[in-house]
Amino acid sequence: MKQHESEVYTVFWRGDAVVMIDQRVLPHEERYNEYRDVREVADAIRNMVVRGAPAIGVAAAFGVALAARESDGNVKAISEACDLLASTRPTAVNLFWAIERMKEHIDEGAQALLAQAELILQEDIANCKAMGSFGAELVPDEATILTHCNAGALATGGWGTALGVIRSAVAQGKKVRVIADETRPFLQGARLTAWELKRDGIDVTVVPDVAAAALIASGEVDMVVVGTDRVARNGDVANKIGTYGVALAAHADQVPFYVAAPWSTIDMNCPDGDSIPIEERPSSEVTHVLGQRILPEGVPVRNPAFDVTPCELVTALITEVGVVRPPFEDELKRMKPA
Ligand code: MRU
């Protein structure tokens, strides 16, 4: 059942269950969890068994399909399941996009809803491939690319957004070296990006987040490519906390800063970054590392999971319909797929 070359199966349907690779235990263990209850799917999204904006959307779509099966197509039960899923994580607009799309088919029964979820998954993989092709054109024949968080196969249906650009550039024969920020506190870069790229044989070096600006200033980095959880219509982008700092450093040293995003991540109803809800995650992610407390007891902690990079710092957006350059609002309106 090979769906795509990277062969990472993030979220898929098997038999009567949604299956997800458990991203909390990677890279030490490749564990696939099966879910047959929409409440479990909601918990899996909240607890980051599955994470990454497009993957969250796919998982939610399968969650709605599960609710339809559980309730034998009962519309009230399915819409309650939609509300539950929508309450899991606030920033990734793909979650709400996927739920709204599923709601359009709410009257069509369990089988149709499962088919719709499967379609969302397959479209996401195809969109990542298309983004990859457009993005690869921006990559020099030999390039060192810095990325933050994980915007790879694990964050999508497959192939990835930012890592999809890298995979496509490598597939075209370009010599790419990747610098992956470790991405405190959940360590998506150290654990997930490093795992994905290593298994694909792509040259990857992990650096502490605090090293990124210095490496950019040293001239070692040719371009930055990241994913995003929501693009506002003016081109402001919300992504994993720390992205803004990387964008500032890239801007200061005239290093191109690209953001790869499928159209399901672009929120034309959101005027700018100030309107993007930023998730605050549990303090335990900061107070503890691998189960070990590292802070003194009683010290307050903040754990904003995302930040907003203003559009002035974004060189271009890479979408499945092409590369979008400033002025973003006009160009997004012009290029928006029908
Ligand atoms: O908290 P996470 O791991 O869900 O955050 C994910 C990111 O910030 C990714 O960069 C973003 O979702 C783009 S994924 C293609």
Side-chain angles (χ1 to χ4, degrees):
M1 60 149 197
K2 190 171 165 178
Q3 292 175 328
H4 46 82
E5 288 82 339
S6 72
E7 283 191 330
V8 176
Y9 303 112
T10 311
V11 188
F12 59 97
W13 185 266
R14 185 171 62 202
D16 60 351
V18 190
V19 186
M20 299 182 207
I21 192 165
D22 191 333
Q23 301 195 31
R24 299 167 307 176
V25 297
L26 282 169
H28 304 298
E29 197 188 330
E30 268 180 62
R31 184 193 296 167
Y32 286 88
N33 300 340
E34 293 192 347
Y35 301 100
R36 292 181 177 77
D37 183 323
V38 64
R39 284 164 292 240
E40 293 172 352
V41 173
D43 285 344
I45 296 172
R46 195 176 286 113
N47 300 332
M48 294 177 55
V49 169
V50 63
R51 34 65 51 200
I56 292 171
V58 172
F62 280 121
V64 177
L66 263 184
R69 283 168 75 93
E70 285 166 9
S71 68
D72 212 9
N74 181 292
V75 170
K76 185 165 174 288
I78 303 169
S79 51
E80 280 168 11
C82 289
D83 292 345
L84 172 68
L85 290 161
S87 71
T88 53
R89 296 196 70 191
T91 306
V93 74
N94 306 62
L95 173 68
F96 309 99
W97 170 87
I99 291 170
E100 284 311 309
R101 186 161 152 182
M102 293 299 283
K103 276 185 178 169
E104 285 168 20
H105 302 272
I106 202 162
D107 292 327
E108 296 170 20
Q111 213 43 46
L113 283 166
L114 180 56
Q116 194 54 223
E118 191 62 49
L119 194 61
I120 288 174
L121 168 61
Q122 296 306 332
E123 282 178 13
D124 186 60
I125 297 170
N127 289 340
C128 285
K129 294 285 183 66
M131 260 181 278
S133 300
F134 286 117
E137 299 299 320
L138 303 168
V139 178
D141 288 342
E142 279 196 30
T144 296
I145 304 179
L146 186 135
T147 191
H148 189 75
C149 195
N150 171 269
L154 289 167
T156 60
W159 199 249
T161 59
L163 297 194
V165 169
I166 289 166
R167 283 198 166 92
S168 297
V170 170
Q172 289 179 6
K174 295 186 173 177
K175 199 167 173 307
V176 176
R177 177 175 163 254
V178 178
I179 295 178
D181 288 349
E182 64 177 353
T183 319
R184 274 278 289 151
F186 196 70
L187 301 174
Q188 290 94 332
R191 298 188 305 104
L192 308 177
T193 296
W195 178 78
E196 269 195 37
L197 294 183
K198 183 166 185 287
R199 64 184 265 152
D200 272 10
I202 296 174
D203 183 349
V204 57
T205 303
V206 173
V207 299
D209 300 333
V210 285
L215 289 174
I216 290 170
S218 77
E220 196 176 323
V221 176
D222 298 299
M223 61 192 277
V224 176
V225 186
V226 295
T228 168
D229 280 68
R230 193 183 297 228
V231 181
R233 71 166 178 263
N234 72 338
D236 290 352
V237 294
N239 191 46
K240 180 54 51 196
I241 192 78
T243 304
Y244 176 40
V246 174
L248 284 169
H251 189 73
D253 286 285
Q254 285 108 49
V255 170
F257 180 89
Y258 296 110
V259 179
W263 220 271
S264 53
T265 308
I266 298 170
D267 186 355
M268 294 302 274
N269 295 320
C270 183
D272 54 34
D274 288 345
S275 314
I276 301 178
I278 300 296
E279 176 182 15
E280 288 260 354
R281 301 235 2 124
S283 59
S284 57
E285 291 179 356
V286 178
T287 55
H288 289 69
V289 173
L290 302 175
Q292 179 84 32
R293 188 172 179 97
I294 56 163
L295 263 69
E297 296 282 352
V299 174
V301 163
R302 290 284 310 275
N303 188 15
F306 298 95
D307 58 26
V308 172
T309 296
C311 56
E312 298 79 31
L313 303 183
V314 177
T315 308
L317 302 169
I318 302 165
T319 76
E320 67 272 38
V321 298
V323 174
V324 185
R325 292 188 183 272
F328 290 115
E329 184 152 353
D330 294 345
E331 287 298 285
L332 285 170
K333 283 181 184 152
R334 187 180 68 79
M335 293 175 72
K336 189 177 188 318

